[in-house]
Amino acid sequence: HRAYNPLGAIGVITAFNFPCAVLGWNAAISLVCGNVQVWKGASTTCLTTVAITRIMAEVFEANNLPGAIVSTAMGGGRDIGERIINDQRLSLISFTGSTQVGRRVSEIVHRRFGRTILELGGNNAVIVMPDADLELVIRGSVFSAVGTAGQRCTSLRRLLIHEDVFDEVVDRMQKAYATVCIGDPLDESTLVGPLHTEAAIQEYE
């Protein structure tokens, strides 16, 4: 026998790069357990946030439940995000974003004995052993590194290559990167599109 004990109201703060998926993962668990939630999507994906909230509210209302079970708070992180993480009525905060901001979220929420779910920046590696399928290594590594222009926590950042296959992997990787098409994200032949914002460009530079 399994019993779910609702926490009451929770807060969900998501990043720009997976504006629907991360909310879906959080909402599915939260709602099944009987909670209500306040969601703050990224300020650069506010239309997505509004659309998804409206769809979820319509589903609840069609089933004779209040649409406000899934509410949205719109605005910048320094304004709305700060209010959410400091609100003692929200017993759990789920935050997806940078390690720096996640550390602050953890400190503030745990100071009031709240709970957190933190999905922060990654530093992912692929380990390449001598018996690896090098064609799969190259294809998977390139896509993992450059897909979404590297703007996700699951992006590949490092290759740890066994010395027996090091030279071959590096050579094949260089050739693969030479074929990567950078351009318009609406063009199906494009693999690397633009960075998300001007601020992201400045950080990259």
Side-chain angles (χ1 to χ4, degrees), residues 63-97:
N63 289 277
N64 300 314
L65 293 167
I69 286 174
V70 285
S71 297
T72 293
M74 303 292 291
R78 290 183 181 157
D79 299 320
I80 303 303
E82 283 291 320
R83 289 180 180 234
I84 288 175
I85 65 177
N86 280 284
D87 193 325
Q88 296 193 23
R89 295 172 296 178
L90 301 174
S91 56
L92 180 144
I93 301 295
S94 172
F95 172 80
T96 302

Side-chain angles (χ1 to χ4, degrees), residues 125-201:
V126 165
I127 300 172
V128 185
M129 299 302 289
D131 60 346
D133 179 341
L134 296 187
E135 179 63 26
L136 181 60
V137 167
I138 301 305
R139 292 177 61 191
S141 297
V142 170
F143 182 78
S144 177
V146 305
T148 63
Q151 300 174 102
R152 59 186 178 198
C153 59
T154 55
S155 293
L156 176 65
R157 294 175 185 245
R158 300 173 293 151
L159 285 168
L160 307 176
I161 308 169
H162 192 281
E163 60 183 1
D164 289 353
V165 290
F166 181 86
D167 291 338
E168 182 179 358
V169 170
V170 171
D171 180 63
R172 293 175 68 168
M173 190 69 72
Q174 289 174 335
K175 291 175 180 175
Y177 265 89
T179 67
V180 170
C181 183
I182 302 171
D184 183 348
L186 300 179
D187 185 333
E188 291 186 3
S189 66
T190 298
L191 183 59
V192 180
L195 294 178
H196 183 60
T197 61
E198 289 285 344
I201 294 171

Side-chain angles (χ1 to χ4, degrees), residues 48-122:
T48 301
T49 303
V50 170
I52 296 299
T53 301
R54 181 174 293 178
I55 291 169
M56 294 176 71
E58 288 174 356
V59 170
F60 278 107
E61 290 166 357
N63 289 277
N64 300 314
L65 293 167
I69 286 174
V70 285
S71 297
T72 293
M74 303 292 291
R78 290 183 181 157
D79 299 320
I80 303 303
E82 283 291 320
R83 289 180 180 234
I84 288 175
I85 65 177
N86 280 284
D87 193 325
Q88 296 193 23
R89 295 172 296 178
L90 301 174
S91 56
L92 180 144
I93 301 295
S94 172
F95 172 80
T96 302
S98 72
T99 301
Q100 179 183 1
V101 176
R103 184 176 291 113
R104 175 169 171 73
V105 170
S106 177
E107 290 171 355
I108 290 173
V109 175
H110 292 141
R111 192 180 303 148
R112 59 179 173 83
F113 297 104
R115 301 179 187 183
T116 58
I117 298 173
L118 304 173
E119 184 180 354
L120 310 178

